[in-house]
Amino acid sequence: MIQNSELILNPDGSVYHLNLLPEHIAHDIIFVGDQNRVEKITQFFDSIEYSTQKREFKTQTGIYKGKRISVMSTGIGPDNIDIVVNELDALVNIDLKTRQPKEELTSLNIIRIGTSGSLQADIPVDSFVMSKFGLGLDNMLRSYLIDEVSNAAIEDAFIHHTNWDIKKGRPYAIACSEALEKIIESDKIFKGITATAGGFYGPQGRVLRLNIQDEELNSKMDNFSFNDERITNLEMETAAIYGLSALLGHNALSLNAIIANRATGTFSEDPYKAVDELITYTLNKLAGN
């Protein structure tokens, strides 16, 4: 039996951080970072059956063109993803009353919709990027046993190419769900490797008042390639989502609307339009349209 200190429940039996019971979530779940973006997605729904929020974790579940979908804000960073994915898995794969893992496990479909900056000059603002791999630079996933789901060849190539300082921990590379990739892909979507940093400033090469360990890391990532897969963008969640989902048996895919191009120094003239277009595209694909 899983102890109370390990799986913490609220007085109503809901999981601690997400404030959800099993019946509150669909099997198809969209992740966003910003809690205010939840309703930017559910505004397109035909109906909303449930809504709750605790801290930065806001969830709404409803119907879009006959498809039951949940939309959830995760907040920022791999540490929040550790909370969200583990508690979602507990909702479907642990009996919360007996505190025992279920014999028959459920696989969720998790799609992250985010915004990001492109690292490649030929991936313009207002385009969409699908993450074939998440490359984690954050160390969170290394708390788990990941050898069976990680791609050591990509990790080794990246370490060699960037002369990575191993004192920062070993990067990890995790593939997206092939099943979700087939549902969502189109010839209009760029594909590549998404690097996941553990912070916004130094970990992404930004310098304010503090010097950083490797001032050239971003330029090294720009020209990294493995089997023709480039690092397309840099953000703070994808690799963690891919890693935990793979370990727990869920399908995960990350999509980003590119609102900035760090290689050309350009920014979208209408980033909200780009995000709305990615939202409706993803919803229609999930609904089979």
Side-chain angles (χ1 to χ4, degrees):
M1 189 172 86
I2 301 171
Q3 298 299 311
N4 292 350
S5 60
E6 310 307 295
L7 175 59
I8 304 170
L9 302 180
N10 296 311
D12 66 353
S14 61
V15 289
Y16 182 64
H17 296 90
L18 301 185
N19 203 38
L20 294 169
L21 291 167
E23 60 266 27
H24 294 153
I25 62 166
H27 283 185
D28 293 277
I29 300 173
I30 294 175
F31 281 178
V32 294
D34 184 357
Q35 57 194 299
N36 294 321
R37 195 172 287 162
V38 172
E39 290 181 355
K40 284 184 66 67
I41 296 179
T42 60
Q43 67 177 325
F44 297 103
F45 282 18
D46 303 314
S47 62
I48 296 174
E49 66 181 60
Y50 185 76
S51 181
T52 190
Q53 181 170 0
K54 183 177 181 182
R55 304 184 190 183
E56 63 267 53
F57 307 113
K58 180 173 183 176
T59 302
Q60 289 190 332
T61 296
I63 303 296
Y64 178 81
K65 295 184 178 179
K67 185 77 168 180
R68 188 170 185 253
I69 299 172
S70 294
V71 183
M72 177 180 297
S73 61
T74 65
I76 299 173
D79 52 341
N80 274 20
I81 296 303
D82 185 53
I83 291 171
V84 172
V85 176
N86 273 292
E87 290 194 4
L88 277 177
D89 181 75
L91 287 171
V92 295
N93 288 323
I94 296 174
D95 186 319
L96 300 184
K97 294 182 179 179
T98 66
R99 294 180 169 271
Q100 297 279 359
K102 296 179 180 178
E103 291 186 6
E104 293 187 13
L105 300 179
T106 295
S107 180
L108 298 171
N109 293 323
I110 298 169
I111 297 181
R112 178 181 186 268
I113 295 179
T115 56
S116 186
S118 170
L119 298 180
Q120 304 295 337
D122 62 330
I123 300 179
V125 295
D126 302 326
S127 62
F128 302 158
V129 165
M130 175 186 292
S131 307
K132 285 278 292 182
F133 290 91
L135 179 63
L137 312 179
D138 57 278
N139 281 331
M140 184 279 290
L141 204 68
R142 290 290 175 189
S143 295
Y144 300 95
L145 303 174
I146 68 170
D147 287 351
E148 290 188 2
V149 300
S150 61
N151 189 311
I154 294 178
E155 297 164 8
D156 289 338
F158 179 80
I159 290 168
H160 176 76
H161 179 81
T162 60
N163 193 28
W164 182 262
D165 186 345
I166 206 65
K167 291 195 296 290
K168 295 192 294 185
R170 180 181 171 88
Y172 59 91
I174 313 287
C176 72
S177 160
E178 293 183 0
L180 286 181
E181 179 185 0
K182 291 177 182 177
I183 292 172
I184 301 297
E185 69 180 348
S186 80
D187 55 9
K188 297 180 180 179
I189 297 181
F190 292 89
K191 295 182 181 181
I193 301 170
T194 293
T196 295
F200 183 77
Y201 289 97
Q204 293 191 37
R206 294 181 172 92
V207 177
L208 301 183
R209 291 203 313 116
L210 295 175
N211 293 328
I212 57 177
Q213 182 269 329
D214 186 353
E215 295 180 353
E216 305 300 321
L217 180 58
N218 277 17
S219 62
K220 295 174 186 176
M221 290 196 294
D222 291 348
N223 55 44
F224 174 73
S225 178
F226 182 84
N227 291 344
D228 297 324
E229 297 285 1
R230 303 174 297 168
I231 297 179
T232 52
N233 60 317
L234 178 61
E235 46 82 271
M236 295 177 63
E237 289 83 29
T238 293
I241 294 170
Y242 282 11
L244 287 172
S245 296
L247 289 170
L248 291 166
H250 304 297
N251 298 308
L253 187 70
S254 181
L255 303 170
N256 275 277
I258 298 300
I259 62 171
N261 188 299
R262 294 182 72 176
T264 62
T266 54
F267 192 84
S268 173
E269 294 182 359
D270 191 350
Y272 300 107
K273 181 175 182 288
V275 172
D276 282 348
E277 289 179 350
L278 179 57
I279 288 169
T280 55
Y281 174 85
T282 304
L283 287 173
N284 285 327
K285 286 291 189 177
L286 278 177
N289 297 313

